Each structure stands twice: as structure tokens, then as C-alpha cells.
Amino acid sequence: RESLVTALPEGAEIAMVDAGAVVAIGTACGRPAEIAESLLVRAREASVAEGREMRLRGHAGWVACPGADADAVTLIRRADSAAREARHVGRGTPMAWSDELGARLLGDLELASAMRRAVEQAQFRLVFQPQLRMDRGEPLGVEALIRWNLPDGVSVPPDRFVALAEESGLIDEIGSWSLREAC
């Protein structure tokens, strides 16, 4: 905590929200991206605890100076959502909360809810694709590929729903169903 405090501008405060989250609050509204970056840099510096060198991994999300439209709890949730998005994007770059990010995350929540119903109602299907030995052109096996169409007929691409299934904890159920279905 102490080493992070030195990365903050004058007048800013830092607080632990839970075991893995830190919130910095301050009046330096013009520089939230710089503050988030400096906190990340400081967190990644080596420190020694009980004679062992440690380096932390971190992700940062930030909210630009808010108007009167959000209370502290909402602002912390938004920053946390932006930090989770930064973790998914990778590259160690702080992520800003935006209305577009909020809309996409809301869409993901709705899609995750639809996915839960799809698991319960077995709305997924498998498509079998042959595997061939290219040197002989002979069949080698069959690959089972999962597909998901929403009730309105819209196809959800696997790269979108598989990541969401992992994040929402449904990946094990979907994997078990796929294995049973393929067999």
C-alpha cells in the first residue's frame, strides 16, 4: 500500500476494497489514465517480503471525472468492469470506462443469461468435420465443433460464446454436454 501511495498525485487517497482490488480517489481529474498507469508500474516493481522477491500482476480500470450521474458504488463497479476488460485485452494497459464498454458488457450479461437457458434447454448443436491426412488424402478422424443459434435464428460465433462461457462458469457444463453428445 505504501509504495502505491507514492505513485499518487497530491490530494489523492488510496483504499483497499477487497483482497485484490485497490481504489484510488482524488481530485486530479485531468490525469486518470496517467494515475492508473503509474499505479500499475509501481505495483509491478519488485518488493521483498519475508526474504523473497515478489512482483505483482495487475490490471487497471478507471473512470474519468464523473458528473452527478453516479454514486461511489457505481463508480467503483464501473472501474472494476473496466479493469476486468483490461485483463481480457491484455498488454498491461489501463482501460477507461465508457458508455460503449457499458453497453457491450450489458450485451454480454444478456448473452450469458441466454446461454444459461441454452444449456438448460440443450440449444447447442454439434457439427462434425472430417480430418484428413493431407499426404494421402485419407480420413484420419472427425472433429466435433459446437454451434449455438439463438431462438430468433441468429448464430453466435464460437469465439464469442466460448469466452463468455468460461467467464460465466458454464464452460464445464457445455463441455460435458458436448462430450456426451459427440459420443
Side-chain angles (χ1 to χ4, degrees):
R1 183 189 187 281
E2 290 76 25
S3 66
L4 294 177
V5 170
T6 62
L8 295 174
E10 188 175 324
E13 298 290 328
I14 194 166
M16 296 294 290
V17 176
D18 61 32
V22 174
V23 174
I25 302 169
T27 57
C29 290
R31 303 177 19 227
E34 292 174 37
I35 294 168
E37 181 65 36
S38 67
L39 286 171
L40 278 177
V41 167
R42 186 62 49 92
R44 291 180 185 136
E45 290 176 356
S47 62
V48 178
E50 296 181 14
R52 295 183 183 188
E53 183 178 283
M54 297 183 339
R55 293 180 188 271
L56 299 176
R57 240 182 355 181
H59 308 284
W62 56 272
V63 178
C65 289
D69 70 326
D71 59 14
V73 172
T74 300
L75 294 173
I76 291 170
R77 264 194 225 125
R78 288 177 178 175
D80 184 53
S81 293
R84 277 187 272 124
E85 184 66 15
R87 184 187 77 217
H88 289 298
V89 171
R91 301 188 307 262
T93 304
M95 176 76 66
W97 168 266
S98 66
D99 290 339
E100 293 80 20
L101 175 60
R104 189 167 56 72
L105 293 175
L106 180 60
D108 286 351
L109 284 174
E110 291 170 352
L111 191 60
S113 179
M115 186 183 307
R116 287 186 198 291
R117 286 189 302 276
V119 168
E120 293 166 2
Q121 300 169 6
Q123 292 177 350
F124 293 96
R125 65 185 174 89
L126 292 182
V127 177
F128 295 94
Q129 174 175 296
Q131 294 179 326
L132 303 173
R133 282 188 58 155
M134 296 307 288
D135 60 340
R136 296 185 189 160
E138 296 174 353
L140 181 63
V142 176
E143 181 178 21
L145 306 171
I146 190 167
R147 298 293 182 251
W148 179 30
N149 290 335
L150 297 173
D152 62 5
V154 173
S155 177
V156 182
D159 64 334
R160 176 111 192 267
F161 77 78
V162 170
L164 193 57
E166 289 172 347
E167 194 172 299
S168 65
L170 292 171
I171 195 70
D172 290 338
E173 287 181 63
I174 293 171
S176 295
W177 173 85
S178 298
L179 186 57
R180 284 191 311 275
E181 188 73 12
C183 290

